[in-house]
Amino acid sequence: QSALTQPPSASGSPGQSVTISCTGTSSDVGGYNFVSWYQQYPGKAPKLIIYEVSQRPSGVPDRFSGSKSGNTASLTVSGLQAEDEADYYCSSYAGPKSCVFGTGTKVTVL
Amino acid sequence: QVQLVQSGAEVIKPGASVKVSCKTSGYIFTNYGISWVRQGPGQGLEWMGWISPNSGDTNYPQKFQDRITLTTDTVTTTAYMELRSLRSDDTAVYYCARAMLGDTFDHWGHGTLVAVSS
């Protein structure tokens, strides 16, 4: 199972929006509504910020939103804040013996 | 609150094995799966497998099928990951994570650094 494709980097000024894509295949992203997004700060464990394509866990700001079209999922961070500077990873269920992560995107707040 | 506390860092010689523990608390252990994910230096996340503490069923990707064993102890609510025949490219931080439906990982351990070096 190949990793999902994400852009290596994305950036925006405070208050702006940034959107990160996550491209897979019909065997993973396109085949299931189990796409998750994780935020990771350097030296820290990942944190779940979006699950089942567009659901936010309790405590995650509504500035974070997710969507999916075909084989590509997207994470949008609206009203960018300095604390949003981190690495972001998508993941998708891909069948009983396969969970696949994205390649990761470093978000920089300018 | 839900917590997953992992064992400490290890330095392992090539060819040897490592067993990492993940002590859980704050929830009913048998109601959720546990997955293991690793992250090499400067690298992305890689899923290594899943176990059901309730049934003992496991799922492993083909890449690790021959070298990994996941187990759980329902008495101590602890999960274990054993990786054998270690190589230098197994040097990574290893995470345990509570697994919800559809491989959603809602709580993570702090990570265990495993360094493979002679």
Side-chain angles (χ1 to χ4, degrees), chain B residues 8-84:
Chain B
E10 304 249 20
V11 180
I12 306 293
K13 292 193 184 306
S17 300
V18 69
K19 191 170 187 177
V20 179
S21 68
C22 171
K23 167 67 177 168
T24 73
S25 61
Y27 72 98
I28 299 173
F29 185 57
T30 49
N31 280 4
Y32 296 84
I34 294 285
S35 271
W36 290 82
V37 176
R38 75 177 184 179
Q39 186 171 35
Q43 302 298 309
L45 303 171
E46 182 175 31
W47 179 70
M48 300 182 69
W50 168 91
I51 184 168
S52 164
N54 182 50
S55 64
D57 289 345
T58 53
N59 285 328
Y60 304 125
Q62 190 168 3
K63 174 176 180 176
F64 296 107
Q65 182 80 39
D66 296 334
R67 295 200 295 140
I68 193 172
T69 301
L70 301 184
T71 57
T72 59
D73 182 332
T74 56
V75 174
T76 62
T77 66
T78 301
Y80 299 90
M81 185 282 298
E82 181 182 33
L83 191 63
R84 299 177 292 278

Side-chain angles (χ1 to χ4, degrees), chain A residues 1 57 61 73-74 91 94 102 107:
Chain A
Q1 192 79 30
S74 298
S91 76
V107 169

